[in-house]
Amino acid sequence: MSTADHAWLMGIDIGAGSLKTMVVRSDGHVGGSASMDIVTHSPKPRWSEQDPQDWWRAVCDTVPRALADAGIKASDIRAVSFSAGAHTPVLEGKDGRVLRPAILWSDQRSGDQVQKLQGAHGERILEISLNRPSPTWTLPQFQWLVENEPEIARATHRVYVAKDWLRSRMTGTWETDRTEAVGTMLFDAKNDEWSRELCDMIGWRIETLPPLVTPTTVVGEITREAAAQCGLVAGTPVVCGTSDTSIETFGAGSVSPGDGTVKLATAGTVSIVGSAPHVHPTLINYPLAVPGLWYTITGTNSCASAHRWVRDTFFMQGASSGSAAFAEMDRVAATAPAGADGLLFHPYLQGERAPYWDPMLRADFVGMTFRHQRAHFARAVYEGIAFSLREVKDQFAAQAMPIAQARIIGGGSKSALWRQIVADVLGIDILLPRTTDASFGAALLAGVGVGIFSDPLAAARHCTQVLDTARPDPARSAYYTELFELYKAAQRGLQDVNHGLSRMREAPTGGA
């Protein structure tokens, strides 16, 4: 098949801070892309929300620009598919209006609800949903809504997950895939159905939950109204898609049992592909985009988000752009020695998931002296996040699930320095795929849905390629293992302080 004979596919992904549209040729070549920032609102401490209408506005902005970047016409697109972060519900009333902003997976408001659920039903929730409650999941988010916004809960006619609501703007249809269903913590994975028992635990109506399809199902076509707004052609097939980490794992080529993946995105994760879920309180399980496979995953709440916070706080002055500031941070961090002269960073800017599952932990720099400069702080951030991922990886080792090597994805994977630090801290080979975006994987699933590829496995093997491998340096790995013990000891020592600070009342106003 010549280049001219290849089909064009489109993937659209809602990230934590931006929406990206990518145009991909059926040989895996990325023809063009465009992105637009999405604002996250925090009206109260520990809240994270977005306006779903912002997602649709971003689609209408990025689709024409991605087509122009690829130098193709809208009529060249054979199919479109979607991805987004899991656990982000959009609630619609009977009139089709969105009832409130979407609560993001990073939102921590439901900590009290998690404690109640874990105390009263923890073992049963794990048994049915295959996962342990935390503020990330939709189940405790919905319990928070029932308790704090009961009028919204009563008015909800349809529940969407983020990418499904966005896709419905194109097709007018209502459905989700099983990975997203598992991500709500309202799904009985063993019996392949929504769980009335889980819904009843929190007083949620099961009738509001969508029908189930596979990620590669063609769910509809782009309507004339949607086409007029976003710049695509009416009648273009639209494929369901799935959640971002599932689709990134698949798109990076981790498609065989035992394959590992490290993700340096807003959150940081480590996952391993298997033929079945591995149910344990410290691990999280989802179906993979490849039929018959699962990925078991756990992660740290603040990864690239912590990286970005440090960039914005210390490195934006004088920088021409955010990307230039990132490059400067990378350059400066490389000048500091491994271990940052004894400076440690715990990246708990939004509490922490594995292995602590503690929304009241706080970030810190530990071990500061007069000799520490910007370079040390920058390197400590890279290393601290890598140490947090080491704690995540150790959860797998404790369950006899070793990871010999891993493909690396997410925005942080662009940094050669960070990739090497991750390899040294984890003690494994880190492989960099040619393309790591969730929008890339979404485009491949679109191709499966319309028959360009025979199945997801064939698509991944045909279109993925490893560009670089970071191998651990034995001396640095040994050094980091020693430092890692101090990292854990510092976390233990500061835990009560963190809890006390999180419980502190606001300071009184007025006076000196």
Side-chain angles (χ1 to χ4, degrees), residues 193-205:
E193 62 185 11
W194 293 110
S195 171
R196 187 171 294 277
E197 181 178 351
L198 292 174
C199 289
D200 288 348
M201 280 182 191
I202 60 169
W204 195 266
R205 288 175 292 116

Side-chain angles (χ1 to χ4, degrees), residues 29-230:
H29 169 73
V30 176
S33 65
S35 63
M36 180 176 174
D37 288 346
I38 303 292
V39 176
T40 297
H41 303 278
S42 299
K44 293 185 179 181
R46 299 195 295 172
W47 286 30
S48 296
E49 299 181 338
Q50 289 182 357
D51 180 357
Q53 301 296 343
D54 287 345
W55 305 337
W56 179 242
R57 283 188 282 269
V59 166
C60 296
D61 173 85
T62 59
V63 164
R65 290 196 289 119
L67 291 170
D69 191 35
I72 63 172
K73 303 184 296 295
S75 57
D76 293 325
I77 298 296
R78 288 278 302 277
V80 182
S81 190
F82 295 80
S83 72
H87 327 291
T88 300
V90 180
L91 310 180
E92 277 192 355
K94 284 187 178 180
D95 58 1
R97 290 187 304 108
V98 175
L99 297 174
R100 71 172 325 283
I103 300 175
L104 300 187
W105 59 266
S106 55
D107 190 284
Q108 298 290 299
R109 78 184 68 183
S110 59
D112 290 343
Q113 286 71 31
V114 167
Q115 289 185 356
K116 295 175 189 175
L117 289 166
Q118 185 62 31
H121 308 289
E123 291 186 6
R124 186 59 177 153
I125 293 171
L126 181 65
E127 181 182 358
I128 298 173
S129 73
L130 310 182
N131 296 298
R132 166 185 172 156
S134 79
T136 293
W137 300 88
T138 312
L139 175 72
Q141 292 173 358
F142 278 3
Q143 184 170 13
W144 185 92
L145 286 169
V146 168
E147 294 176 4
N148 294 275
E149 297 180 2
E151 70 286 354
I152 298 294
R154 287 193 298 268
T156 298
H157 179 63
R158 284 184 173 181
V159 173
Y160 294 84
V161 186
K163 69 106 173 47
D164 301 318
W165 180 86
L166 185 61
R167 191 187 61 247
S168 74
R169 301 308 93 187
M170 287 192 173
T171 64
T173 60
W174 180 49
E175 58 279 309
T176 196
D177 65 283
R178 285 165 177 80
T179 301
E180 297 280 27
V182 168
T184 66
M185 198 168 268
L186 294 167
F187 185 67
D188 184 338
K190 294 179 182 177
N191 293 311
D192 193 34
E193 62 185 11
W194 293 110
S195 171
R196 187 171 294 277
E197 181 178 351
L198 292 174
C199 289
D200 288 348
M201 280 182 191
I202 60 169
W204 195 266
R205 288 175 292 116
I206 197 171
E207 295 78 18
T208 64
L209 303 177
L212 296 167
V213 298
T214 69
T216 56
T217 298
V218 177
V219 298
E221 298 177 343
I222 295 175
T223 65
R224 290 185 181 277
E225 180 183 4
Q229 294 181 54
C230 73

Side-chain angles (χ1 to χ4, degrees), residues 169-493:
R169 301 308 93 187
M170 287 192 173
T171 64
T173 60
W174 180 49
E175 58 279 309
T176 196
D177 65 283
R178 285 165 177 80
T179 301
E180 297 280 27
V182 168
T184 66
M185 198 168 268
L186 294 167
F187 185 67
D188 184 338
K190 294 179 182 177
N191 293 311
D192 193 34
E193 62 185 11
W194 293 110
S195 171
R196 187 171 294 277
E197 181 178 351
L198 292 174
C199 289
D200 288 348
M201 280 182 191
I202 60 169
W204 195 266
R205 288 175 292 116
I206 197 171
E207 295 78 18
T208 64
L209 303 177
L212 296 167
V213 298
T214 69
T216 56
T217 298
V218 177
V219 298
E221 298 177 343
I222 295 175
T223 65
R224 290 185 181 277
E225 180 183 4
Q229 294 181 54
C230 73
L232 289 170
V233 173
T236 302
V238 178
V239 173
C240 178
T242 190
S243 70
D244 58 355
T245 304
S246 176
I247 218 164
E248 287 167 335
T249 301
F250 149 73
S254 293
V255 291
S256 299
D259 285 353
T261 306
V262 171
K263 182 177 180 180
L264 303 181
T266 300
T269 61
V270 179
S271 65
I272 186 169
V273 175
S275 57
H278 193 105
V279 181
H280 188 272
T282 65
L283 302 174
I284 301 168
N285 296 277
Y286 298 97
L288 189 62
V290 178
L293 294 180
W294 288 71
Y295 66 99
T296 301
I297 185 171
T298 194
T300 178
N301 266 352
S302 301
C303 178
S305 54
H307 184 224
R308 182 170 184 166
W309 174 79
V310 173
R311 179 204 71 176
D312 292 347
T313 304
F314 297 107
F315 288 89
M316 281 299 290
Q317 292 182 354
S320 59
S321 65
S323 58
F326 272 139
E328 173 64 7
M329 185 175 174
D330 217 46
R331 184 194 68 78
V332 168
T335 67
D341 280 335
L343 183 65
L344 295 173
F345 173 69
H346 294 96
Y348 311 143
L349 286 157
Q350 281 189 303
E352 184 55 304
R353 281 190 277 176
Y356 305 109
W357 307 101
D358 187 346
M360 293 196 294
L361 291 184
R362 292 196 171 197
D364 57 60
F365 286 99
V366 176
M368 288 178 282
T369 69
F370 280 125
R371 72 176 178 273
H372 287 118
Q373 306 297 320
R374 277 203 321 165
H376 297 95
F377 284 91
R379 187 172 188 107
V381 169
Y382 289 103
E383 293 176 340
I385 295 168
F387 284 139
S388 189
L389 292 171
R390 168 76 177 263
E391 289 200 282
V392 169
K393 175 176 173 283
D394 286 353
Q395 302 303 298
F396 291 103
Q399 300 303 314
M401 300 171 69
I403 300 174
Q405 64 177 24
R407 299 192 180 211
I408 192 165
I409 61 177
S413 67
K414 298 174 183 177
S415 168
L417 172 66
W418 206 353
R419 295 197 304 269
Q420 186 60 54
I421 289 172
V422 170
D424 290 337
V425 170
L426 300 189
I428 60 175
D429 288 354
I430 296 295
L431 285 61
L432 177 67
R434 178 176 61 179
T435 308
T436 65
D437 298 81
S439 51
F440 176 78
L444 298 190
L445 283 190
V448 177
V450 295
I452 291 171
F453 307 111
S454 59
D455 55 49
L457 192 62
R461 289 178 172 168
H462 179 68
C463 295
T464 60
Q465 176 186 353
V466 172
L467 293 184
D468 184 52
T469 300
R471 305 188 189 281
D473 175 85
R476 284 196 301 269
S477 288
Y479 177 79
Y480 278 134
T481 296
E482 183 179 352
L483 193 59
F484 179 55
E485 295 304 316
L486 295 176
Y487 175 91
K488 292 189 291 183
Q491 185 281 325
R492 291 191 298 269

